[in-house]
Amino acid sequence: MSEHDANARFARETIVEPSAISRARAHAVELGAAPVSPGIGAQLAVLAATSGARSIVEIGTGAGVSGLWLMRGAPQAVLTTIDNEPEHLGVARQSFADAKIPPARARFITGRAADVLPRMNEGAYDIVLVDADPENVIEYVEHSLRLVRTGGLVLVPRVLAGGKVADPVQRDEITTAYRSLLQETQESQAVLAALSTTGEGLLQLARISE
């Protein structure tokens, strides 16, 4: 085992996931709604806490795993989560209730993100998490950068696409979209960009200009 693999395994094994989130993870697996890894979840919680987030948008609810991690870091925030699968939203509601998240702190919207995002208020949010429809990731990030305030964060998990992004032979639509997103955000003057290789990868974008 290489040093990199040993470090990655050690990092995975050190994370203790709260029981409510572990239960939501089990529901996600049953639904076939792949949740973010505990490593990514822990990073989401830290980013939410350090940014003092009060208003968060999540694109892609699943069974509520990523939303619960975000609320763990920002328990006073209001989370607006969007998913086009009513079954997912129903399970997520129950996951939030099990975690004793007050109903007033979570708003569940059923619909396509492409239809919902244009109607949301510009510059009104502290964090937007983009975790749905990877073929539309660039469009969703563009919307998200409009929605977050200056200094706000746009977070995109899974950007390494299971190792395919780093493999030049892989040229499918989703892999190409992630590569383009990474390149464009690194070159942009409107954001600060950082890529974490923990878990499935997490792109972190801080909006720094209008």
Side-chain angles (χ1 to χ4, degrees):
M1 180 181 292
S2 70
E3 179 182 352
H4 174 79
D5 291 338
N7 288 340
R9 186 179 70 177
F10 179 80
R12 288 194 303 270
E13 293 175 350
T14 61
I15 298 167
V16 177
E17 191 165 59
S19 58
I21 302 180
S22 293
R23 290 193 295 272
R25 181 176 303 282
H27 293 318
V29 172
E30 292 171 3
L31 284 173
V36 296
S37 67
I40 293 296
Q43 287 194 42
L44 297 180
V46 169
L47 291 166
T50 55
S51 66
R54 292 285 178 159
S55 189
I56 301 172
V57 176
E58 177 183 47
I59 304 169
T61 308
V65 172
S66 51
L68 288 173
W69 273 113
L70 287 163
M71 296 299 283
R72 178 172 172 78
Q76 301 306 311
V78 173
L79 173 73
T80 300
T81 185
I82 306 163
D83 204 296
N84 64 358
E85 293 286 349
E87 183 180 10
H88 293 184
L89 288 164
V91 173
R93 283 180 188 274
Q94 187 58 54
S95 296
F96 272 56
D98 290 346
K100 297 182 169 47
I101 303 294
R105 299 218 173 273
R107 183 166 66 125
F108 298 87
I109 298 178
T110 305
R112 295 176 61 250
D115 298 328
V116 176
L117 295 173
R119 303 197 299 268
M120 301 183 77
N121 292 332
E122 182 173 344
Y125 301 93
D126 301 305
I127 295 176
V128 180
L129 176 71
V130 180
D131 189 22
D133 309 328
E135 65 276 9
N136 298 321
V137 66
I138 292 177
E139 176 187 354
Y140 290 170
V141 168
E142 289 173 349
H143 278 299
S144 299
L145 288 171
R146 178 183 63 82
L147 296 180
V148 294
R149 60 173 172 79
T150 300
L153 298 172
V154 175
L155 306 174
V156 190
R158 311 184 204 274
V159 289
L160 298 179
K164 292 198 293 184
V165 167
D167 182 355
V169 174
Q170 304 296 326
R171 298 182 180 276
D172 61 273
E173 180 183 0
I174 291 173
T175 303
T176 300
Y178 280 134
R179 282 199 195 105
S180 296
L181 175 65
L182 291 166
Q183 180 177 352
E184 290 174 15
T185 52
Q186 287 291 334
E187 295 173 350
S188 173
Q189 299 300 306
V191 300
L192 294 174
L195 174 61
S196 168
T197 59
T198 296
E200 57 272 40
L202 179 66
L203 177 63
Q204 304 160 62
L205 305 174
R207 177 180 169 184
I208 58 174
S209 68
E210 298 294 336

